[in-house]
Every structure is written in structure tokens, then in C-alpha cells.
Amino acid sequence: MVLTWPVRMSDTRHTRRRILTATGAIVAAATLSGCGLFDDEPEPEPAPDPLQPILDEALALAAAYDLAAQGDPALAPFAEDHRAHAAELAGLIGTTLPSGAAAPPSAPAQQAQSKADLRAAELAAQKTAAAACVAAPADRAALVGSIAACRATHASALR
């Protein structure tokens, strides 16, 4: 038979049970305060992906080439290139393309862009892609670099 009685830690009358209970309560409170159970603040929205501007430019260039291809069918492959870029970028970023991204515009009231306008847009987009390539991590740099090279090739072909 085991006889137990309160062990006095000092003259303050703190028993071992009271000390262990207090310690457990402190540990539980510290754990719960760090888990977000008592947080009333909403989670901040994640920052947009750094490649999102490249994706947006690819979609804009594809739409511009679709419009220009109505007057010059030789420009249609350029639109396909930009749609392929957009699909690869969307897969890498983890987003979906807008539903109208694959279909060419059908509004006849829109004016087709000239080759000079397309070349200027390609050069501006190429600079954006080249800058993103330098800043991109290694797993993304190859794709962004090939997009920059393709845009430079398109600009050269539009001379």
C-alpha cells in the first residue's frame, strides 16, 4: 500500500499538483496562442506571381495577332506561338487561362494592327520577358528565356 500526501515545496503551500497544473495551463495557452485559434485577422492575399505580366502579354499578343491575321493570314502562326506560351505559363503559375483566350476575336469593327505596331509590342514584351528571365529562379528561367527569344524572333520577322 502506497501512502501519498501533499509535498510541500516551501512555506508558500504550493503542492506538486498545483505546480504541474499551472505549468500545463501555461504550455497549453502558449500552444493555442500560436496556432491561430484566437486570431481574428484574415489571412493576407498571396502576392501575384512574378510571371503574371508575361502571361498577360502573351494573351494580349495572341489576340493582336489573331486580329492582324484576318488581313494577313501569314501572321496566324505567331498567334499560336503566344497561345502556347500562355498555356505553359499558366501551367507553371498554377492558374487557368480565361475562357476566351483560345478563340480569336470576331468583332469586325476592330482594326487590325499594322506590322509596325505588332513589332513594337513584340519588342516591349521581349524586354519584359528578358528582365523576368534574369530575375527568375532556375526552374522558371529556361521557359521565360525561350519566350523572350521567340518574341525577339517575331520582332525580327516583322521588319
Side-chain angles (χ1 to χ4, degrees):
M1 173 177 197
V2 177
L3 300 174
T4 60
W5 58 87
V7 176
R8 305 281 180 208
M9 301 297 279
S10 66
D11 290 338
T12 61
R13 298 185 188 238
H14 294 294
T15 64
R16 185 179 323 170
R17 181 172 289 157
R18 284 184 183 167
I19 290 173
L20 289 175
T21 302
T23 303
I26 291 171
V27 169
T31 302
L32 288 176
S33 68
C35 75
L37 181 64
F38 301 118
D39 290 342
D40 291 335
E41 297 177 15
E43 290 290 326
E45 291 187 27
D49 194 282
L51 298 183
Q52 186 63 46
I54 309 298
L55 174 60
D56 295 339
E57 286 176 336
L59 293 173
L61 285 168
Y65 277 113
D66 283 336
L67 202 60
Q70 292 174 358
D72 185 0
L75 296 175
F78 293 159
E80 291 301 319
D81 288 344
H82 289 295
R83 271 194 286 285
H85 297 163
E88 288 296 322
L89 286 166
L92 184 64
I93 292 172
T95 187
T96 58
L97 292 175
S99 61
S106 61
Q110 294 176 330
Q111 293 290 328
Q113 292 184 343
S114 70
K115 285 187 177 182
D117 293 339
L118 290 171
R119 184 171 190 278
E122 285 282 6
L123 288 173
Q126 187 270 334
K127 288 180 183 177
T128 304
C133 181
V134 171
D139 62 333
R140 294 176 160 205
L143 175 63
V144 179
S146 67
I147 290 172
C150 185
R151 290 176 178 180
T153 303
H154 287 177
S156 179
L158 290 170
R159 286 187 180 181

